[in-house]
Amino acid sequence: MKLTWHTGTLRLREPFRISRSVMHERDAVWIDVSHDGHIGHGEAVTSVYYDLDVPRIVTQLEALRPVIDSSDDPGELIAEARRWAALDPGLRCGMEAAVHDLAAKCRGITVRELIGAPEFETARTACTIGIVDTAHAVRTATDLVARGFGVLKVKLGDGAEDVARVAAIREAAPDARLLLDPNGAWAPDQAVRILETLEPHGISAVEQPIRPGTPADLGWVAQRSPIPVIADEDAHTIDDVRELGSSVQGVNVKLAKCGGIQAAVEIIETARSAGVDVMLGCLVASSLGIAPAVHLAGFARWTDLDGHLLLADDPWDGIGGIDGTLRLSGRPGLGVRPRSTP
């Protein structure tokens, strides 16, 4: 096998603001693993929050290259990936994606079939409205509903204008399912008060309303909230999910944070065994970066895989989503392909 990679930049259509930052663009490293006439693709995206940049990714890829180049069995590499603990989770996710893509292509099947994930035809994804003024949020919500989106996720901040913005979005999109995400911006008591105020607006769930690192406090909020609480930043690893147990109503599984497909499946199984529902989430990424999670959509109660929809120009294609519905292409592997040379 042969490991190669190249880099590029993913630019957003508009600045994306959440409670802790504003993003304009994100660098990506596109990973290729080739064998026997087939090429498996994966993507690792940079993250300031997780201290992962292009030089760090490239250094780790260079260290891994001898392992890949000395292997001649994609299936064995999938098993080997469990021992890549030294890689940053975002890079491990991209490498795993490339190896799964390659192994499935060699067998002429999809990644969903390769890993035995539940079959599904389509999955309705949320699309995220960042922290913008209320008028802008209403325009965005109206446009998304007109395009076919039935699920909207609203980023929230310090609570001062959150209630009015959510109320205005609900009025503009009366039939949409609304998900809220303060990215840990609220204190526990404040979270309960705000969620009680928002409950009449028909909110489907709220992600990580309080700062991460205090899972007991998150459970305290979840027990008192009239709206289902989904752990996000407090549910990165399988140990995190075991510690949470059934104290929350859901966990958000992001492959780029937990380390890829295999870790995600283990987390999903652990959560479901505790009676906890699953959200599939993502970072801002291209269709290639989002695709591995789409193959797991049959596991999820909530699907929030819209990272590619926030881009000005997605260099990959194959999972849909522009109308609010994700669809696997049916092609072998991840089913994505470059629109042009990325």
Side-chain angles (χ1 to χ4, degrees):
M1 275 183 277
K2 183 177 181 181
L3 171 64
T4 57
W5 60 85
H6 54 286
T7 63
T9 300
L10 301 172
R11 294 182 173 82
L12 278 67
R13 289 197 316 272
E14 61 179 43
F16 184 59
R17 181 184 175 198
I18 63 174
S19 63
R20 61 175 180 251
S21 63
V22 180
M23 182 189 305
H24 299 267
E25 62 184 28
R26 166 168 273 159
D27 291 326
V29 177
W30 291 296
I31 301 161
D32 295 339
V33 180
S34 56
H35 174 69
D36 197 24
H38 299 284
I39 302 176
H41 302 292
E43 177 180 273
V45 294
T46 59
S47 171
V48 173
Y49 186 73
Y50 293 103
D51 194 28
L52 185 62
D53 57 16
V54 169
R56 185 177 179 90
I57 292 171
V58 169
T59 296
Q60 293 184 23
L61 284 172
E62 288 173 340
L64 186 63
R65 178 148 50 188
V67 175
I68 305 300
D69 289 357
S70 64
S71 177
D72 60 1
D73 186 339
E76 288 184 359
L77 264 188
I78 291 175
E80 173 71 22
R82 293 178 178 274
R83 296 190 289 274
W84 294 345
L87 299 183
D88 277 272
L91 175 54
R92 192 161 72 248
C93 174
M95 278 300 311
E96 259 206 15
V99 174
H100 278 78
D101 189 34
L102 176 62
K105 285 176 176 174
C106 289
R107 294 177 56 182
I109 59 176
T110 66
V111 167
R112 185 200 65 76
E113 293 170 307
L114 180 71
I115 63 177
E119 186 174 358
F120 69 98
E121 292 185 5
T122 60
R124 300 191 75 183
T125 183
C127 194
T128 303
I129 301 172
I131 298 178
V132 293
D133 63 66
T134 298
H136 189 163
V138 167
R139 289 194 301 272
T140 302
T142 302
D143 174 65
L144 289 170
V145 169
R147 285 163 50 189
F149 282 87
V151 188
L152 306 178
K153 186 164 91 166
V154 185
K155 292 286 188 178
L156 304 180
D158 61 8
E161 299 178 3
D162 290 341
V163 173
R165 189 184 316 117
V166 172
I169 291 170
R170 169 52 77 206
E171 184 176 358
D175 299 322
R177 294 172 60 198
L178 296 185
L179 302 171
L180 308 180
D181 187 4
N183 287 106
W186 303 334
D189 287 345
Q190 179 189 24
V192 174
R193 290 195 304 271
I194 293 174
L195 294 172
E196 288 175 342
T197 302
L198 289 172
E199 192 267 340
H201 296 294
I203 309 303
S204 294
V206 59
E207 291 180 57
Q208 196 71 39
I210 67 170
R211 65 181 178 87
T214 57
D217 289 345
L218 185 64
W220 183 90
V221 172
Q223 291 168 13
R224 290 158 179 78
S225 170
I227 297 169
V229 171
I230 302 170
D232 183 357
E233 286 86 352
D234 273 327
H236 284 179
T237 69
I238 193 166
D239 289 338
D240 292 338
V241 175
R242 286 175 179 147
E243 182 177 359
L244 286 166
S246 58
S247 66
V248 293
Q249 288 76 39
V251 295
N252 189 357
V253 181
K254 296 179 178 177
L255 274 65
K257 293 184 178 182
C258 72
I261 292 171
Q262 295 181 97
V265 171
E266 291 175 353
I267 289 173
I268 289 168
E269 291 173 345
T270 300
R272 286 159 62 107
S273 68
V276 174
D277 287 317
V278 170
M279 168 183 273
L280 284 172
C282 64
L283 306 183
V284 173
S286 75
S287 287
L288 173 60
I290 304 298
V294 178
H295 285 260
L296 304 180
F299 286 118
R301 174 178 174 183
W302 304 280
T303 304
D304 179 31
L305 300 176
D306 66 338
H308 61 306
L309 304 177
L310 304 178
L311 301 180
D313 183 22
D314 185 353
W316 298 82
D317 176 67
I319 58 174
I322 193 170
D323 60 352
T325 301
L326 299 165
R327 305 171 180 84
L328 296 178
S329 68
R331 293 188 290 266
L334 292 171
V336 296
R337 56 190 178 190
R339 295 180 187 274
S340 58
T341 301

